[in-house]
Amino acid sequence: MAAEKMAVTRETFDEVIVPVYAPAQCVPVKGKGSRLWDQQGNEYIDFAGGIAVTALGHCHPALVAALHAQSEALWHVSNVFTNEPALRLATRLTQATFADRVFFANSGAEANEAAFKLARYYASNIHSPYKSKIIAFHHGFHGRTLFTVSVGGQPKYSDGFGPKPADIVHVPFNDLDAVRAVMDDHTCAVVVEPIQGEGGVTPATPAFMQGLRALCDAHQALLVVDEVQSGMGRTGKLFAHEHYGIQPDILTTAKALGGGFPVSAMLTTHAIAQVMAPGTHGTTYGGNPLACAVAEAALDLINTPEVLQGVSARHHQFVEALQAINARFGLFSEIRGMGLLIGAELTPAWAGKARDLLNAATAERLMILNAGPNVLRLAPSLVITPQEIAEGMARLETAIGKLVAA
Ligand SMILES: *Cc1c(COP(=O)(O)O)cnc(C)c1O
């Protein structure tokens, strides 16, 4: 028999974890669909989705079955060997997208790290070692490795960790003239999120995305589209760039790819991938059989008309409920986003209070997110039920009502 498990609480966090997070006071222990339970047995409705990760809800039976079956077959072989789940998932991803080559990693940051390295390596090999400039955007977010925080457009995440990688230029998002002003033949890549997630849930305009594509073509630069948050059905298409009628050269996906199991992928074309050779890049766990088996099950479920088309009806239900709350309390200056990545910007009177809203919601047994200090963010399961949306929104209204009265 297994030994009794050690008792741990939220206080244990402060004693043993490096203090880079400030988690809520409750400790979730169980999840099912869009509901979670904490150590005390309190039930929560989940509008956070593990930050756009649990796109099929918690412990989806098909994902549990895939993980269980693979856990009894093979866990890990490293990239000294290939494995069937990785080959199947890569085949599925290439069939479903513009891409024909896949590199697997374990997190969004690692997929982006691979993407940025590939863009530099491609330019250096095909054009010139001096074609190294990366153009990226203010408020962009691409992960927490040193290269990815440096390409990210929030200096607070990279300051103090220098020297930073060089030849990275940041310009305002959705400002094509600003890109044009810094774009040249020395540029190897433009890196963009179709919807800035962490930066405040701001969708790119069609003219901006199409303009970036044209500028990249004119200067033989690669368009790197970071779909770590916006991908895997989040916006009602498998990938958000499909709304814009453009194709990336390199795409990264993570978060919802494994539905809660850590896995990420960088997708690209054969023409670009072929500059790489054995040894130019790698990772021990990339293509792990457990991760790929779960991701294949997730992709099979998400990439269906039922799930993708269901996103838009849910979007409208969320937005209408937010508008109703706003009609009562007037705390949002704008409600925006695409599909089930929804942001509500706080009015100046509420500036800086997104985290207070989050805490108030948790007290009403509702999990939500913020995107910076001024934006409330929702990234629920793509298959959350209309009843769960209604119930969660009622809890949000109660939470806001108490905050207003306090
Ligand atoms: C979350 C996120 C990342 C980083 O992913 P990790 O898995 O945390 O490394 C990168 N890009 C975008 C757009 C993200 O939302």
Side-chain angles (χ1 to χ4, degrees):
M1 237 185 50
E4 183 85 2
K5 275 188 193 154
M6 180 198 305
V8 288
T9 66
R10 172 62 178 78
E11 279 67 55
T12 316
F13 180 94
D14 299 327
E15 292 160 15
V16 298
I17 305 287
V18 174
V20 294
Y21 309 111
Q25 290 307 312
C26 62
V27 179
V29 293
K30 184 178 146 65
K32 188 79 201 134
S34 286
R35 290 178 198 266
L36 281 149
W37 290 266
D38 69 13
Q39 288 182 317
Q40 281 70 41
N42 297 308
E43 185 205 80
Y44 296 78
I45 290 186
D46 187 7
F47 284 179
I51 316 189
V53 167
T54 49
L56 294 164
H58 297 277
C59 299
H60 189 287
L63 273 54
V64 171
L67 182 60
H68 187 229
Q70 189 59 40
S71 77
E72 295 193 324
L74 184 70
W75 283 36
H76 180 79
V77 286
S78 90
N79 289 298
V80 173
F81 304 91
T82 188
N83 68 80
E84 290 182 351
L87 296 173
R88 276 198 292 266
L89 177 59
T91 304
R92 285 264 203 285
L93 285 169
T94 57
Q95 285 166 347
T97 65
F98 74 96
D100 35 45
R101 292 293 182 275
V102 180
F103 173 80
F104 288 119
N106 316 288
S107 66
E110 281 173 87
N112 282 329
E113 185 83 21
F116 306 162
K117 282 181 70 180
L118 174 58
R120 284 255 175 99
Y121 204 73
Y122 179 80
S124 164
N125 277 268
I126 300 291
H127 301 291
S128 137
Y130 302 103
K131 190 175 171 68
S132 56
K133 187 199 285 182
I134 293 175
I135 299 174
F137 298 98
H138 294 160
H139 307 296
F141 184 81
H142 304 295
R144 300 299 199 117
T145 64
L146 190 56
F147 200 173
T148 56
V149 281
S150 303
V151 174
Q154 304 192 58
K156 66 173 184 203
Y157 292 144
S158 56
D159 287 349
F161 298 103
K164 299 179 194 180
D167 211 9
I168 300 165
V169 180
H170 296 97
V171 294
F173 186 65
N174 273 338
D175 184 344
L176 205 53
D177 286 336
V179 182
R180 214 171 271 127
V182 295
M183 188 86 183
D184 54 18
D185 290 340
H186 158 83
T187 303
C188 72
V190 174
V191 179
V192 66
E193 295 162 85
I195 311 176
Q196 288 193 331
E198 300 303 308
V201 193
T202 312
T205 63
F208 183 63
M209 288 297 278
Q210 287 154 14
L212 292 182
R213 179 68 273 174
L215 280 172
C216 284
D217 290 342
H219 293 276
Q220 297 180 292
L222 300 183
L223 182 60
V224 179
V225 177
D226 180 346
E227 295 236 27
V228 167
Q229 189 156 164
S230 62
M232 294 304 293
R234 181 64 37 200
T235 66
K237 302 247 187 217
L238 186 60
F239 289 105
H241 73 266
E242 297 168 33
H243 292 284
Y244 295 89
I246 56 126
Q247 282 197 358
D249 296 300
I250 301 176
L251 177 148
T252 54
T253 171
K255 291 203 164 89
L257 179 60
F261 202 98
V263 56
S264 67
M266 177 192 76
L267 311 185
T268 190
T269 62
H270 167 63
I272 295 168
Q274 63 164 7
V275 297
M276 304 299 260
T280 44
H281 192 57
T283 166
T284 298
Y285 285 120
N288 172 273
L290 294 169
C292 291
V294 176
E296 189 193 1
L299 178 60
D300 278 351
L301 281 168
I302 289 172
N303 197 22
T304 55
E306 301 79 67
V307 171
L308 294 178
Q309 286 166 14
V311 166
S312 144
R314 287 169 175 82
H315 169 90
H316 291 299
Q317 192 184 348
F318 272 108
V319 168
E320 277 160 27
L322 284 169
Q323 283 164 344
I325 289 176
N326 206 30
R328 202 175 143 199
F329 297 111
L331 76 169
F332 304 131
S333 57
E334 188 184 23
I335 296 165
R336 58 183 182 239
M338 288 168 82
L340 289 172
L341 184 54
I342 297 168
E345 173 117 28
L346 297 170
T347 58
W350 284 75
K353 293 225 166 73
R355 188 78 203 203
D356 297 332
L357 263 173
L358 206 141
N359 292 338
T362 310
E364 297 305 318
R365 315 267 180 261
L366 173 70
M367 292 169 169
I368 60 171
L369 300 166
N370 62 314
N374 303 322
V375 178
L376 178 153
R377 172 174 42 154
L378 306 178
S381 157
L382 307 183
V383 294
I384 187 169
T385 65
Q387 199 220 322
E388 286 161 338
I389 299 174
E391 215 177 316
M393 277 300 174
R395 294 184 193 189
L396 183 62
E397 186 156 1
T398 306
I400 292 170
K402 286 188 184 172
L403 258 190
V404 169

